[in-house]
Structures are given as C-alpha cells and as structure tokens.
Amino acid sequence: MAAAIDGVFPASLQELVKKSKVLVVGAGGIGCEVLKNLVLSGFTDIEIIDLDTIDLSNLNRQFLFHREHVGKSKARVARESALSFNPDAKITAYHDSVTSTDYGVNFFKKFDVVLSALDNRAARNHVNRMCLNADVPLVESGTSGYNGQVELIKRGLTQCYECMPKEAQRSFPGCTIRNTPSEPIHCIVWAKHLFNQLFGESQEDEDISPDAADPDAKDASEKEGESTTVSNEKDKEAEDTANGNVVRINTRQWAKDCNYDAGKLFNKFFNEDINYLLQMSNLWKTRKAPVPVQWDTLLPEGAADGEKEFAKQHHKVWSVEECAHIFANALKELSASFLKLEGDDTLVWDKDDRPAMDFVAACANVRSHIFNIEQKSRFEIKSMAGNIIPAIATTNAITAGISVMRAFNVLESKWEQCKAVYTRLRLNARNQILVPELFFPKPNPNCYVCSSDPAIGLKIDTKKVNIKQLRDDVLVKTLNMLNPDVTVESTGSILISSEEGETECNEDKLLADMNIVDGVILKCDDFFQNYELSIIISHFDSERDEAVFEVVADPKQLQPKEQDKEESVAAPEETKVAKKRSANGNEVAADEGPSTSKKSRPTIVEDDDDDDCLLIEDEDETAQEEAPVASDKLSSPKTATKRKPSTDVIDADEDITEILDSSDEEEAGPTKCKRSRLDEQPKPVEIINID
Amino acid sequence: MGMEVDTNEPAVELTEAENELYDRQIRLWGLESQKRLRTARILIAGLSGLGAEITKNIILSGVNSVKLLDDKPVTEADFCSQFLAARESLGSNRAEASLLRARALNPMVDISADTQSLKEKTSEFFADFDVVVVSGETNEELLRVDNICRELGVKFYATDVWGMFGFYFASLQKHKYVEDLVKYIPKASTKPNEKTKYELSSTPVQREMEYPGYSTWLNLETSSRSFQRKLKKSGPGLLLLNVLQKFRSTHKRDPSYKTREADLELLRGIRDDQVPNSSLADEALGVLFAQISPAVAIVGGVVAQEVIKVVTKLEAPHRNLFVFDPQTCAGYIENIEAN
C-alpha cells in the first residue's frame, strides 16, 4: 500500500491514488495481476466484475486462485485474495456480466479510471462504448502468448477501441466443409457440425451431408443449362431444403432410431456419404478422391467397452482403428446424456467436456484419413476446435504492470505519456521488448462508434435476409448492439423495437418485402449503450455460399456521390493508414510494435517475426483468429440452453472462441465495423467472459 | 519446439494433472519445454517485492524446486509490493514469511526457505541450482556470486527495482538454445487462377551464444565513449542505474522514503558527479523509493520469462542488460560487451 506510506510516491501522486475510484473489468489472467498491483499501490476504492468461474487450466497464471477455488466466482475469490495483501482496501466484487443493465452509464461515471482485462471483443466493444459515453478514461489491455498490449482510450483524445476495423474470423465455404475438405481444420469444423447435428442445437449452415449442388461438381455442359440434377436458380431453393433442413432433422432422428448404433452411424458418415461424394465425379478430376472406410473392416470385433489407454494419450495421433473405438465410446456417452435431456434441450459442445472433445477429435481424424489430410493429436485438435489462445503468467504480469503504470499517468493527467505499449518476445529494431508507441493515432473521423454522427454502409442481399437476421446477425452479432430500436429514416416507421413483442410480426419478412431496398437509410438506436447509428442499405445479389451481408465501415465507399468526393478521398486514406487491429482487438503493428510505419499491412508479410500471433487477447483462452466458424461458439457452458441472440454475442465462454477479439462474431462476412456510444437499458445478457 | 537440443534429455513424463494445469502454456512453448521446466532448480536470493514477483512467476511455470534465500526481516516498505509475506509477518524473516503463500501457488513445486546471509554461501551451495537470481545486493557481492556461478556453469541473473525503475543483467556463459525461424511461404493452391496464399512455416534452429560476466557492466566507465553513446541512443536509464548502484555502495543502503528529501539531494549529487548536465531529470529521481508494485510486476515478469527461456533452452535470452524506463514504459536491452 505504497500510497499509505508518506514519502514513497511524490505527494501529488500519493493523494491521487488514495482518493481515486477504480473499476477493473475482468478477473482473469490480467485482472488478477491488476488487482494485486492496485491494492499494493494503495488504491482503496476498487470494484471488480467478472461473470466467470475458476477453471483448473486458469491456475498456471491466475495466481489469486488455487485448486480449492475451482468452480467458484473469479471476482469474489480475487477480492478475498487481494484483501489478504492489503486488508485496508475496500473492494466490491460483482459476479456478473459487465453488459448487464445493472451497469449503465451512471455506474461507469463513478470511476476515475476503468482498467479492462477482458478476453472477448464483444465485451470490449461494450465497455469501450460505456466509457466513451461516461467520459471515463479506459485502460484497455490484452495478451496472447508472449504478446501483450496496453492502450489508453479517452474520448476526443485517442482512438476508441472500435476506430479501426478488426480482422474477421476465418470461415469456410459450405462445400469445402461438406464435400472437399483439404485441411485439418475443415474436418474439425465438420466434426463439430456433426456433433450439433446429432446432439446440439441445429444450425442452418451446419450441414454435414454431401452437397449435391456444389458448383464444382457440375461439368461444363451442365453449368450452361441442361441439368441432370438440379441447377437452375429456382430449383436451388427446393434443393437447399432437401439437403438442408429435411435431411438434417432426419439425421438426428435416424440416429436415434438406430439406437445410436456405432457401426451404423460410422458407416453412414464415413462410408455411404463418402461413396455418394465419389459419384460426384467432377469433384475428383483435379483432387485426390476420398477413400471410404468401413466399420467392420476397421473393427471386425466391434468396439470394446470402456476407455482404452490410447484415448488418454492426448499428444499422440490416433490410428483410424483407435478413432473408431473412441467414436463408439464417445457416441455411447453422448447419446446417453442427450436422451436424458428434457423437451427440446440439446447438448452444447464444450472442448473441456471429455466425450464431446473425444467425439470431435475421432470424427475429424477419420475424415482426414478418408481425404488423405494430415491427422492431428487430440491436443492439437482441441486448440483448433476450442480456439484456445495460449497464455502464460509472465506476459500477463508484465501487461497488468503496464496497465497500472498507465493508470498512474491517467490520474496525473499526463496524457502525453499514455501511448500504447506492446510486449514482445523478441527485440524490435530499437532493441526494445516493451515497446511504447511513438505517437497517438488520431481518432478515425469515420469511426462508427466515436465519430459525431456515426454511419456505416451495409451491403446486404435484401432478397434473402429477413428482419430477424438483420437484428440478430448484423446489429447484435456483428455490430454488438445489445437491444436495438430501428426505424426507417424516410418514413419514421418502426422496423425493430427493443420492446419485446412489438415488432415480432416483422421478423420473418425479407428486407425487400418490407421495402428495405437499395438506398434506404435505417436509424438504429441502442438505448443502453446510448449508441445511435445510421445504416445505409446497399443491395447485392449474393452468390451461393457467399456471405449475405457485409458491413462497410466508410459508407461513402458505397455511394460515391459527387458532393462527397473531397471527403471520400481524404477519409478512407486515413483509415488505411492506421494500423490494423488484430483480433483481439489489439493492434498489431506492422513491424514489431508500434512504430511509425503507416503502411497498411498486407495480411501476409514475409518474415515478420513474431507477429504470427496477432492476437492478443487476453488471457485466456479464447478465441483465436483462425477460429473456425462462428457458429461454434457456444452460447453457454455445458448445459443445454436456448440461446438468445444477444447471448450469443456476448458470451464468451472462457476459453472459447468467443472471444477475443478475435473474432468470432464477425463471421458471417462482414469484416469491418465500427460504432459508437452508450447508455442504459437493454436486457441483460447473460454471459461475458472476462478474464 | 520439437527438436533435441542436447543429449541429456529430461526423462520425465508429465502426469495428467500437470498436463491439465499447464495446458495453456504447453500450447505456447511445447511439451519438451514443460519437461525441462519440471527438472529446473532455481535460487531466488533477496525476497523483496521483486523477489516475490519472480518467485511467483517461476513457481507458476512448474519448475522442480525454488529456494528462497534472505536474511532480512519483513519491513513496512515490503507492503508496497511483497505480496508473499503477510502483514502480520512484519519483523520476521522475509524468506520464511514468504513460504506459505509461495507454496499455495503451486503444490507441485518443492519450495524451501534459507535464512542465512548470501555472503556466507560458498561454491558448494550454488552448485545445487540451474539458475541463480540475486537482488538487493551490492556490486561486490553480485560479482562474487557471478564468479562462483561462472565457474560452476550455473546461469546467473542480477536484478533490482528502485521505486519504479529496474534492471537485470544476464550472465549465462555459453548458452545453447533453439529458436524458431518463422517465414511465410507460398501455399500450394488448390484452384488455378487463385491468388497465391501464404502460410507460416517455422523451422527450429539450434544456436549458441556467449554471455560475458557481471564484471563487464562494472568495468564500463561512465566517461567512456561507449557509455556516452548508449546514453544518447536510449536515454538516461544506464546512468540512473549507475547512480543507484553508487548510492548503495556508498551509503550501504538504498534511498529511503523516510529521508526522501535528503536522499533526493544525495542522488542529484551523485548524478552530477557522474555525468554533468545529463538528461537524467529530477522527475525521474522522485519515483525511486520502496518498490512499486506495477513496476516490480513488469521487471519481475521479464526476469522470470528470461529464466524460463534459459531453462527450456527455447528462444534467445536477451543479451545482456535490461532497463525499464518508468516514464515511457519502454523496456530495452543494452548489449554490454567485454572489452
């Protein structure tokens, strides 16, 4: 408690530390370290919020937690441990989501500084908006492996968290997943989809059966017109249904009807379906054809009961026979749990749930074997399937230290000293491993969050997207609003209401049917975030397997009008210049760290060392940039629950994917986004993850 | 990861519990590194806040054993950053007072305390460790221990934090390690006419580096051209380190918050005597009292990461003097060469 001892700090800083009120968002890897630094420095008025509970894999770095705390609230245990370091501190702990309506702008306004130590982009976006709106300085931090970063966000002075577009998460075309996988990740995504088909919540875009409409499967003559199967536009829909919903539902029912017989299911997925694919001979003209496998040939004796020794060998690559065994055992356990569920409840895939992870590892490897793709160990598959970001104690300690050093600067109003700092494994050109930025990047004048009149362009297929999808996929998942109201600017009519039930009748209508067509401007307002955004609609006809919408950060790029010419020349330029923010929202500088360089970096750069990991996240686990498919996020841990749209976005389940900033939410296509303010009142969202 | 560095591989296998606990770090540095950590024996001499931070990080990483050595009592100043010692332990031995909480951090690590003075420890004592980390000692003592370690082939780190300013010096003799050379290589494309995509490829490369002893830093004259050049290039950090070490050897103590104003006067005097008209501002002298938690977390985090690099033989330990500048939060490396 340095500030309690006269003479330790310069007198001015001592006073500031003693009387300041601080909010720590997240009690994970960085949060634990930040809290320790705060109490030892002599801050006595601290609040900390985290909705997460303690997991065994946290203990290698979240040092306020010990084995006996596993399963307990992070925020509460962190509070108790930190109090033992300085019993004079007053710490309030909230085991709750920071996006809950209990923490509105007035809550944020109480604090002199907010230190955020989150692990997912959605929650970061939210805290960014709340702090901008409350005009409270925010010290934002994140880590991923050896890389860490701390930056100040202050209204009017710095870039906000959403000023720069973030990298979209990687997603894969449906036909690659269903018909022509070529990388391990394709098979892993397929295996997770298979899990959901059998036991999880069905997702429209998660078919696992062969896709007969794959354009690659048709030969040239067919493409031109006469079709033996189905190919013209009109039939396409019918066919989609045939391959999609109907079959999907049937798969689940069929599996149940077979009593989850391992051999039958195995043969269907890894033999019959593969044989069907082989009939689509055009696919295999330029690719190596898959080789189906058969249950009886692999395991003539059938699967042995009980867990085998090899199933525990997570670092070894299992043989196909071993995979078949593991498939059978996992299937037995999963189907048993599934059948115990009531009503429409479903299982939720969780990388830490042994049978669920075994199932995905085994299925992914069998499929990889069939397609002659490199097989992976369960350990490696878990990283990819669960989007795990590696995390170590030292990077978190360093990053949290910098974060609190910056909090001192903020309290002293030494804004010039508050440039972002990056932690790097290797030296940069100036021999630094802790690298302060050389300058403050200016706020993006077109930021759709912090600019004065935020607007975005939205390229969207108005003939395919309905109002509910506009709300859930675009406004909530992509733009991170909590509970938006949307009106049509020209008529003032209400399209989407935040009041439950008010506009439900619109939900299933296509945008075009509601007369939301090219050129229409929508006014969106999220009351709780106090965030208003104009959306300029621009229609396009999406191709098969193409994303049905894309957010364009600078709406002027959509509509180059004469009068805008000047601005549109200047503005986008500026955006480009800025560094890219990586997944975690963090920026990843082109060279190591900050630096002056302004070129926008191509995604790929030759020998740029450590930035392979561009992401920083915080801590924990969480998502990774390569996160497969968005839909993998779980909406909530383990138990089956229905997911609400809003939940989805926010939830990060600790280790999962969700997080980081990385991305996941953006999956569906849009890549760039940004936005703006905040205030009070949407429905609480359940989960956030912090860490 | 995945490449043999030397022939005496640790023959340990990780237990299931270890695999689970260390999962997130194994995903960063690999199984082999975790096994190496499993066998490492570390000495932390000097249990100030800095010692406590390094101890915490090292224990969390999963080394074999850590010995905490300190003959001093817990003081009020320790409350600014020494979180391993409870408040009630004021006046008792710092190493012993740190044991309970240190053990709670990771029950799989063997942790012990030694209350003897470092000065009484002879060669035999140091031979039991793979890495020795010393803080809070005079240059004479640091030099003595470094010389012993160099003879024994033990890796040595000298480190300290004054207020918010800190440093470490690495004396590793000949050190072999593996480094991943990361390159982007063109990826075979599946479809014609597609833009070439690139993918990361990393190749482990074995390297060896020679690290000079602590004496190279002591022998660097502030008036030398090489010292002046470094000041010009990276700021007054080296000068500040020199001033603080001079203060310690002259006054047999560090600047104290109890005599803040008088000690500031002494510090200014040493500064002006060492390098007149330097860029080392008075403001930088105002934050050198006790050990401030966030700064200690930064320096302690960097030192622990370096120790982990040394033990795992993965990645190049920085050569060889690290300085943390609290004004900018820059942390940089000076290469101090033997003459």
Side-chain angles (χ1 to χ4, degrees):
Chain A
M1 11 64 100
I5 306 174
D6 290 341
V8 170
F9 283 129
S12 55
L13 179 57
Q14 181 182 10
E15 274 318 295
L16 289 164
V17 169
K18 273 196 201 165
K19 66 167 209 232
S20 294
K21 195 168 170 61
V22 185
L23 173 66
V24 181
V25 187
I30 299 180
C32 282
E33 290 279 342
V34 161
L35 191 61
K36 169 207 67 187
N37 294 338
L38 290 174
V39 297
L40 293 170
S41 296
F43 286 90
T44 52
D45 196 351
I46 302 167
E47 303 197 3
I48 184 160
I49 180 166
D50 194 320
L51 55 51
D52 216 352
T53 54
I54 297 157
D55 184 79
L56 183 65
S57 66
N58 298 148
L59 304 185
N60 77 324
R61 62 199 183 282
Q62 302 179 14
F63 80 107
L64 298 180
F65 312 143
H66 305 137
R67 201 161 285 254
E68 65 269 23
H69 299 131
V70 169
K72 295 187 174 162
S73 154
K74 285 189 175 179
R76 291 189 194 128
V77 176
R79 173 184 175 274
E80 277 163 42
S81 297
L83 281 177
S84 74
F85 301 160
N86 181 2
D88 301 332
K90 190 185 113 234
I91 305 174
T92 308
Y94 304 94
H95 178 62
D96 205 350
S97 162
V98 73
T99 57
S100 147
T101 44
D102 293 342
Y103 313 103
V105 160
N106 288 330
F107 173 81
F108 280 83
K109 276 185 177 157
K110 293 190 297 191
F111 301 99
D112 296 289
V113 60
V114 173
L115 303 181
S116 96
L118 287 160
D119 66 353
N120 69 92
R121 198 191 276 172
R124 283 187 165 106
N125 287 348
H126 179 80
V127 170
N128 175 50
R129 292 171 200 186
M130 298 308 275
C131 289
L132 288 172
N133 192 30
D135 199 11
V136 175
L138 168 64
V139 180
E140 158 64 39
S141 57
T143 67
S144 165
Y146 297 110
N147 295 334
Q149 127 168 2
V150 176
E151 69 183 316
L152 169 70
I153 293 169
K154 179 171 161 56
R155 188 165 87 187
L157 176 72
T158 69
Q159 288 191 345
C160 84
Y161 184 71
E162 298 170 83
C163 267
M164 288 299 129
K166 304 185 176 104
E167 244 156 66
Q169 113 175 63
R170 197 169 160 201
S171 65
F172 307 97
C175 344
T176 304
I177 301 302
R178 295 166 64 184
N179 294 358
T180 52
S182 59
E183 295 175 27
I185 186 69
H186 300 150
C187 298
I188 293 168
V189 168
W190 179 88
K192 286 177 76 176
H193 289 179
L194 176 59
F195 175 94
N196 281 339
Q197 295 297 321
L198 294 176
F199 309 115
E201 184 162 358
S202 322
Q203 298 285 322
E204 279 172 36
D205 49 1
E206 291 192 353
D207 282 315
I208 46 98
S209 52
D211 180 4
D214 188 336
D216 275 7
K218 302 183 173 98
D219 60 33
S221 59
E222 277 180 81
K223 274 180 190 162
E224 265 143 44
E226 6 127 26
S227 57
T228 41
T229 44
V230 209
S231 62
N232 74 42
E233 276 301 311
K234 294 227 166 128
D235 289 337
K236 210 163 158 189
E237 266 183 46
E239 176 200 36
D240 278 348
T241 326
N243 281 313
N245 302 335
V246 178
V247 172
R248 182 172 64 248
I249 290 161
N250 283 348
T251 302
R252 182 181 304 217
Q253 190 58 45
W254 171 80
K256 197 175 169 187
D257 295 343
C258 305
N259 287 323
Y260 299 100
D261 180 285
K264 278 191 195 164
L265 267 64
F266 190 91
N267 282 338
K268 152 108 174 87
F269 303 130
F270 303 115
N271 188 285
E272 292 153 33
D273 283 355
I274 303 299
N275 278 321
Y276 185 84
L277 278 178
L278 284 169
Q279 289 168 20
M280 295 156 69
S281 55
N282 281 328
L283 290 178
W284 318 113
K285 283 186 178 154
T286 55
R287 298 181 179 89
K288 198 165 179 326
V291 180
V293 290
Q294 183 128 31
W295 177 257
D296 301 332
T297 325
L298 289 177
L299 300 180
E301 314 279 304
D305 264 357
E307 207 192 352
K308 291 282 187 163
E309 200 40 46
F310 55 75
K312 291 187 191 153
Q313 294 175 331
H314 296 181
H315 291 279
K316 159 187 168 195
V317 177
W318 298 326
S319 69
V320 201
E321 291 80 10
E322 287 168 342
C323 287
H325 267 293
I326 290 163
F327 168 84
N329 283 320
L331 186 68
K332 192 182 273 175
E333 291 185 64
L334 292 170
S335 57
S337 334
F338 180 69
L339 292 173
K340 277 187 213 142
L341 297 176
E342 293 177 6
D344 289 340
D345 278 359
T346 55
L347 299 180
V348 175
W349 189 82
D350 180 353
K351 67 180 186 335
D352 291 317
D353 180 38
R354 192 190 41 76
M357 186 60 230
D358 282 348
F359 180 85
V360 164
C363 291
N365 272 341
V366 173
R367 191 165 168 88
S368 288
H369 171 82
I370 288 169
F371 284 90
N372 194 30
I373 296 168
E374 184 196 358
Q375 288 145 68
K376 298 274 184 185
S377 69
R378 185 188 190 277
F379 178 83
E380 294 169 299
I381 293 173
K382 185 172 172 179
S383 271
M384 292 191 268
N387 296 305
I388 298 175
I389 297 208
I392 54 176
T394 49
T395 310
N396 285 323
I398 295 165
T399 303
I402 294 169
S403 193
V404 175
M405 291 293 284
R406 281 295 178 253
F408 291 155
N409 298 147
V410 164
L411 296 177
E412 295 172 297
S413 306
K414 291 183 176 169
W415 307 112
E416 275 310 301
Q417 276 190 28
C418 292
K419 298 182 180 92
V421 182
Y422 305 84
T423 305
R424 293 284 178 257
L425 174 63
R426 296 178 181 174
L427 295 181
N428 72 353
R430 297 194 300 281
N431 282 347
Q432 296 168 327
I433 47 174
L434 307 181
V435 186
E437 271 283 13
L438 294 177
F439 64 101
F440 268 119
K442 290 217 179 78
N444 175 1
N446 297 316
C447 175
Y448 64 73
V449 174
C450 69
S451 65
S452 55
D453 194 8
I456 53 159
L458 177 63
K459 282 175 65 183
I460 189 162
D461 190 336
T462 57
K463 294 173 189 162
K464 279 193 194 158
V465 178
N466 67 28
I467 303 296
K468 184 170 185 335
Q469 289 168 317
L470 173 70
R471 182 190 182 281
D472 294 353
D473 296 343
V474 182
L475 303 181
V476 176
K477 275 194 205 169
T478 306
L479 295 172
N480 289 136
M481 294 186 192
L482 290 181
N483 193 9
D485 288 289
V486 180
T487 54
V488 181
E489 189 189 55
S490 55
T491 63
S493 62
I494 299 174
L495 194 65
I496 296 172
S497 167
S498 56
E499 291 296 321
E500 209 154 330
E502 266 189 14
T503 47
E504 221 162 68
C505 53
N506 291 346
E507 285 191 348
D508 294 334
K509 295 190 182 143
L510 295 178
L511 295 184
D513 295 341
M514 295 291 289
N515 220 16
I516 308 303
V517 295
D518 201 72
V520 166
I521 297 177
L522 300 178
K523 290 288 189 189
C524 306
D525 182 2
D526 189 290
F527 181 70
F528 184 68
Q529 293 181 336
N530 192 11
Y531 174 41
E532 288 170 28
L533 175 70
S534 301
I535 296 182
I536 302 155
I537 300 288
S538 150
H539 171 78
F540 79 110
D541 290 312
S542 62
E543 300 288 322
R544 184 189 160 73
D545 261 343
E546 191 186 2
V548 289
F549 71 93
E550 181 187 359
V551 172
V552 181
D554 182 355
K556 292 182 186 100
Q557 290 172 349
L558 270 185
Q559 317 190 300
K561 290 184 190 148
E562 279 306 303
Q563 66 265 38
D564 287 338
K565 221 181 207 167
E566 250 173 73
E567 274 178 273
S568 60
V569 177
E573 203 47 50
E574 179 134 334
T575 326
K576 293 243 174 76
V577 164
K579 310 165 304 235
K580 216 185 233 183
R581 230 181 239 267
S582 74
N584 253 356
N586 302 307
E587 339 265 16
V588 172
D591 15 329
E592 347 243 10
S595 97
T596 43
S597 87
K598 305 199 154 188
K599 35 193 175 169
S600 75
R601 184 159 68 106
T603 335
I604 300 116
V605 178
E606 309 261 339
D607 63 30
D608 187 351
D609 311 324
D610 53 314
D611 353 67
D612 26 292
C613 211
L614 310 173
L615 291 203
I616 303 206
E617 142 83 325
D618 143 344
E619 182 71 45
D620 238 226
E621 10 260 24
T622 340
Q624 221 326 19
E625 67 243 23
E626 303 242 315
V629 179
S631 27
D632 306 288
K633 331 177 212 203
L634 313 184
S635 21
S636 60
K638 315 210 162 151
T639 46
T641 22
K642 285 262 131 162
R643 67 171 86 178
K644 291 203 276 194
S646 40
T647 331
D648 233 352
V649 184
I650 307 204
D651 96 347
D653 152 32
E654 177 158 35
D655 307 309
I656 312 208
T657 287
E658 278 279 322
I659 330 192
L660 225 231
D661 259 281
S662 109
S663 53
D664 285 343
E665 306 117 42
E666 271 157 75
E667 66 209 339
T671 317
K672 337 191 164 161
C673 341
K674 317 144 131 242
R675 298 54 158 333
S676 165
R677 280 139 344 134
L678 1 153
D679 202 52
E680 29 220 47
Q681 127 80 44
K683 312 256 125 121
V685 171
E686 326 167 283
I687 326 206
I688 269 212
N689 207 31
I690 307 191
D691 195 306
Chain B
M1 307 164 226
M3 166 174 171
E4 300 240 327
V5 183
D6 51 23
T7 45
N8 50 343
E9 271 311 304
V12 291
E13 276 305 318
L14 298 183
T15 64
E16 212 165 317
E18 285 172 308
N19 269 313
E20 238 185 306
L21 176 61
Y22 303 127
D23 183 271
R24 294 303 183 273
Q25 64 199 43
I26 292 173
R27 288 176 196 280
L28 185 66
W29 53 52
L31 260 188
E32 206 50 50
S33 291
Q34 195 60 50
K35 290 181 190 171
R36 288 174 193 279
L37 281 164
R38 186 72 186 68
T39 64
R41 302 153 305 162
I42 314 290
L43 173 68
I44 308 288
L47 265 290
S48 59
L50 177 63
E53 277 287 344
I54 299 168
T55 299
K56 173 201 70 186
N57 296 332
I58 296 284
I59 289 174
L60 290 173
S61 78
V63 294
N64 181 279
S65 65
V66 178
K67 187 174 285 288
L68 310 178
L69 172 74
D70 202 326
D71 63 343
K72 292 177 207 62
V74 176
T75 66
E76 186 190 45
D78 287 323
F79 298 156
C80 298
S81 51
Q82 219 290 22
F83 57 90
L84 290 180
R87 277 249 188 132
E88 309 75 64
S89 64
L90 189 69
S92 61
N93 177 276
R94 271 207 302 205
E96 284 183 332
S98 304
L99 265 185
L100 193 68
R101 287 181 183 174
R103 286 183 176 141
L105 291 171
N106 188 347
M108 296 195 228
V109 179
D110 174 19
I111 302 161
S112 56
D114 188 326
T115 61
Q116 257 194 328
S117 158
L118 183 67
K119 293 189 179 61
E120 294 166 33
K121 298 297 187 186
T122 55
S123 181
E124 281 180 338
F125 175 77
F126 297 102
D128 284 341
F129 304 100
D130 299 299
V131 184
V132 168
V133 181
V134 182
S135 66
E137 290 294 339
T138 60
N139 276 336
E140 296 72 42
E141 181 60 12
L142 291 171
L143 187 58
R144 183 189 78 91
V145 177
D146 181 41
N147 284 335
I148 293 174
C149 288
R150 292 184 79 83
E151 241 162 64
L152 295 167
V154 172
K155 314 292 184 185
F156 172 81
Y157 277 88
T159 179
D160 241 304
V161 167
W162 292 265
M164 300 183 185
F165 172 80
F167 89 106
Y168 80 67
F169 184 93
S171 168
L172 310 179
Q173 303 127 61
K174 256 196 183 53
H175 180 68
K176 281 190 190 172
Y177 60 92
V178 167
E179 184 168 59
D180 275 342
L181 262 194
V182 180
K183 275 198 186 142
Y184 284 90
I185 53 164
K187 198 173 172 180
S189 152
T190 41
K191 294 174 203 153
N193 305 330
E194 221 178 20
K195 244 197 288 171
T196 322
K197 290 183 182 161
Y198 291 83
E199 64 187 350
L200 274 177
S201 122
S202 66
T203 330
V205 191
Q206 162 119 38
R207 299 192 194 277
E208 183 179 285
M209 233 192 316
E210 180 88 38
Y211 294 72
Y214 191 64
S215 57
T216 50
W217 160 243
L218 298 185
N219 295 338
L220 190 62
E221 288 293 329
T222 51
S223 54
S224 72
R225 298 219 6 230
S226 139
F227 192 93
Q228 295 297 331
R229 229 178 304 136
K230 287 180 198 297
L231 288 189
K232 214 165 192 181
K233 195 169 144 256
S234 35
L238 281 191
L239 177 58
L240 183 52
L241 176 56
N242 193 278
V243 167
L244 286 161
Q245 292 191 324
K246 200 130 278 179
F247 187 106
R248 184 181 283 175
S249 53
T250 310
H251 302 284
K252 307 286 177 239
R253 64 176 178 91
D254 285 329
S256 166
Y257 58 90
K258 293 175 184 158
T259 48
R260 183 182 176 92
E261 293 311 319
D263 285 356
L264 279 173
E265 194 54 45
L266 293 173
L267 287 166
R268 286 192 290 264
I270 299 173
R271 171 193 64 187
D272 297 339
D273 188 46
Q274 290 288 313
V275 178
N277 305 318
S278 74
S279 57
L280 178 54
D282 285 358
E283 195 191 355
L285 303 179
V287 291
L288 302 175
F289 300 88
Q291 288 189 340
I292 305 305
S293 177
V296 161
I298 295 166
V299 178
V302 171
V303 171
Q305 189 53 52
E306 292 300 300
V307 171
I308 290 167
K309 276 188 200 167
V310 168
V311 168
T312 58
K313 301 181 166 136
L314 181 67
E315 287 293 333
H318 300 301
R319 195 174 77 164
N320 46 2
L321 178 68
F322 166 83
V323 175
F324 174 67
D325 175 357
Q327 308 297 318
T328 58
C329 277
Y332 55 94
I333 302 294
E334 296 283 3
N335 186 7
I336 310 292
E337 295 280 5
N339 269 338

